[in-house]
Amino acid sequence: MAAPRSDLARLAPDGRAARQLMRTGAYNGHTAGMAPGHVQANLAILPRREADDFLRFCQRNPKPCPLLAVSEPGDPLLPTLGEGLDLRSDLPRYRVWQDGVLVDEVDDIAALWQGDLVGFAIGCSFSFEEALLEAGVPLRHVAEGRNVAMYRTKLPTTPAGVFHGPMVVSMRPMKAADAIRAVQVTSRFPQVHGAPVHIGDPALIGIADLAKPDFGDPVAVADDELPVFWACGVTPQSVVMAARPAFCITHAPGCMLVTDLLNHRIASF
C-alpha cells in the first residue's frame, strides 16, 4: 500500500524535490500525492527507428497518449518539463520490455541508455485527480492509499506504423452526481486525458471483472455507484505487448515522472 498523500507531499513538496528522491534511490514507490499542484507524466522510451511511428501513434490517439514532451535522440534530458530532469534516473521505477515481453523492473536505467533512444512524456490522470478532489469529488483509491485500477479494453486505438493495440483505461467509482461533476472537471484537462471515455457497464468495453485489474490495485464499486473510465497513459504498455518492438522502456504503473509544470497552467477554461 502506498504512503499517505500527506506524507508524500511533505517528502516531496515540488517536482525538483521529488526527482531528487528518485535520483538518489531514496524512494521507489507510487508518486500520487507527491509535489502537489505539479504535473506528473507517463513515460515511453524507444529506439529512434520506432520513434517516428510512435510519435504518429500518440498524435492519432490523444485521449490515451496526450504528449507533453519528446526528447532528442540520445538526449536523456527534458528541459521543458523540469530543470535538470533526467529520464535515466528521475522516476521511481521503470519497466524494461523486449519483443513485447516485460523482462525487468529497475530503479535506474543509466546502464540501459543508448545513443538513439527517444523519450516520450505523456499526460497523467494524477493532474485531474487533484482538480476532482478540489471540486469535492471523492476518490476511493486515494482515500485507501491504493494505486488506481487500470484495465485493458476492447476499445481500439488508431494504428500508426508498427504500433497498434487496445486502449487501457483507469477506473474510479462514483455516485451519479459526482460522475456528472467529474465529466465537467476533467473536460478542462485535455493534456491529461480529458473527459471519461465510458461510464457504466464495464462489459461494454471488454472488461470482464472489475475486481481483477490488469494494472494497479482493485477498488470496490458500491451498489449506488457507477464505474467511470478514463483513457490511461499505460496504453503504450498495452501497445508494446501487441506491437512487440525489440526494445522499450516505460514507467512502472503509478510510478510517474514528476515535472515542474503546474496543473493549473494546463487547464483549459
Side-chain angles (χ1 to χ4, degrees):
M1 186 172 292
R5 284 194 173 213
S6 57
D7 291 348
L8 291 179
R10 287 194 297 271
L11 197 64
D14 57 33
R16 182 181 295 183
R19 296 193 300 274
Q20 184 65 18
L21 287 174
M22 322 306 181
R23 190 175 300 180
T24 59
Y27 184 81
N28 68 352
H30 297 155
T31 55
M34 281 191 163
H38 289 74
V39 174
Q40 299 193 25
N42 303 275
L43 180 67
I45 299 172
L46 288 153
R48 186 172 187 172
R49 63 182 176 272
E50 282 104 10
D52 287 345
D53 281 353
F54 189 74
L55 176 61
R56 288 188 295 114
F57 178 83
C58 292
Q59 291 171 334
R60 293 177 183 179
N61 296 277
K63 287 289 281 186
C65 300
L67 276 175
L68 297 176
V70 181
S71 74
E72 293 294 329
D75 187 353
L77 305 183
L78 275 179
T80 60
L81 297 186
E83 183 179 355
L85 187 154
D86 192 327
L87 296 178
R88 298 169 296 184
S89 59
D90 290 0
L91 279 75
R93 200 156 67 250
Y94 302 81
R95 285 184 157 186
V96 183
W97 305 79
Q98 292 181 358
D99 299 316
V101 176
L102 178 63
V103 296
D104 204 1
E105 279 202 6
V106 296
D107 298 346
D108 186 286
I109 57 169
L112 299 173
W113 192 260
Q114 302 168 16
D116 66 339
L117 292 180
V118 179
F120 296 83
I122 294 169
C124 170
S125 61
F126 287 170
S127 288
F128 72 59
E129 283 189 350
E130 184 174 88
L132 287 173
L133 292 170
E134 289 176 354
V137 177
L139 299 174
R140 181 162 300 119
H141 69 284
V142 172
E144 295 178 352
R146 295 174 178 266
N147 195 2
V148 70
M150 293 164 273
Y151 307 85
R152 296 181 80 191
T153 72
K154 66 178 183 182
L155 298 173
T157 56
T158 302
V162 301
F163 293 103
H164 65 280
M167 185 186 297
V168 173
V169 297
S170 59
M171 187 279 295
R172 295 158 184 83
M174 296 179 179
K175 296 182 186 300
D178 288 330
I180 293 170
R181 182 65 176 136
V183 171
Q184 296 169 331
V185 170
T186 59
S187 294
R188 295 172 44 228
F189 291 89
Q191 287 186 273
V192 288
H193 307 303
V197 295
H198 183 68
I199 298 176
D201 188 354
L204 294 177
I205 57 173
I207 300 172
D209 188 349
L210 288 179
K212 297 178 180 179
D214 296 292
F215 311 94
D217 301 321
V219 178
V221 181
D223 291 341
D224 62 345
E225 292 177 327
L226 297 166
V228 185
F229 301 92
W230 278 265
C232 178
V234 176
T235 296
Q237 300 186 33
S238 172
V239 169
V240 165
M241 294 177 198
R244 298 183 175 275
F247 180 74
C248 181
I249 299 171
T250 68
H251 69 291
C255 300
M256 316 306 291
L257 175 64
V258 185
T259 79
D260 292 346
L261 301 182
L262 297 177
N263 289 327
H264 72 84
R265 296 294 295 272
I266 66 170
S268 59
F269 294 92

